[in-house]
Amino acid sequence: MTISVKGEYALHALFDLAAQGGATPIKIADIARRQKIPQKFLELILAGLKQGGFVESRRGADGGYLLARPPEAITVGEVIRHVDGGKGAPPGAVHRRGETPFSEMWHRVDRAISEVIDQTSLADLTLRWKERQGKYIPNWDI
């Protein structure tokens, strides 16, 4: 599946919001710094995610962005489809020029990718990431 830079950044921004716990609004500058996303581009991405119902914003000195739904209720697939729309072509789409010996295989690849991204939530990603990061804590006992 082809994912645009905008789609990738949208996933990183939503992951960041999920990883922060969602109790208080997170400032755009903080997300941009942690996820290494240009701030101006992130502002546009978050505006689109707000229109899509993925995030909500709060104004003021303590303002920022929050997830609009629980991380368990937001899947990677729905984010990619919202951000990239019809631009996210599955891998086999490039090769489909009529029926070929590979057509059925590409259809299976498309279905497998969709199944994985549609069953992976932000909560799943956050949990797996924290588990992986916990394995690499150095032991400083002497």
Side-chain angles (χ1 to χ4, degrees), residues 15 19 124-134:
F15 170 83
D124 297 330
L125 292 172
T126 305
L127 178 64
R128 289 182 194 136
W129 180 250
K130 287 180 180 179
E131 286 174 351
R132 281 196 310 251
Q133 294 304 302

Side-chain angles (χ1 to χ4, degrees), residues 74-90:
I74 300 174
T75 67
V76 171
E78 71 176 314
V79 173
I80 292 170
R81 287 183 191 93
H82 172 75
V83 174
D84 288 341
K87 295 181 284 185

Side-chain angles (χ1 to χ4, degrees), residues 4-14 36-38 41-42 45:
S4 68
V5 172
K6 185 177 180 181
E8 183 80 16
Y9 283 167
L11 288 170
H12 279 272
L14 291 171
K36 297 175 180 54
I37 302 171
F41 194 27
L42 181 58
I45 291 167

Side-chain angles (χ1 to χ4, degrees), residues 41-92:
F41 194 27
L42 181 58
E43 290 171 7
L44 296 172
I45 291 167
L46 288 170
L49 290 172
K50 183 177 177 182
Q51 289 177 339
F54 295 98
V55 298
E56 57 185 50
S57 63
R58 303 270 168 83
R59 293 181 179 261
D62 293 328
Y65 282 85
L66 298 157
L67 292 177
R69 297 184 271 154
E72 299 83 16
I74 300 174
T75 67
V76 171
E78 71 176 314
V79 173
I80 292 170
R81 287 183 191 93
H82 172 75
V83 174
D84 288 341
K87 295 181 284 185

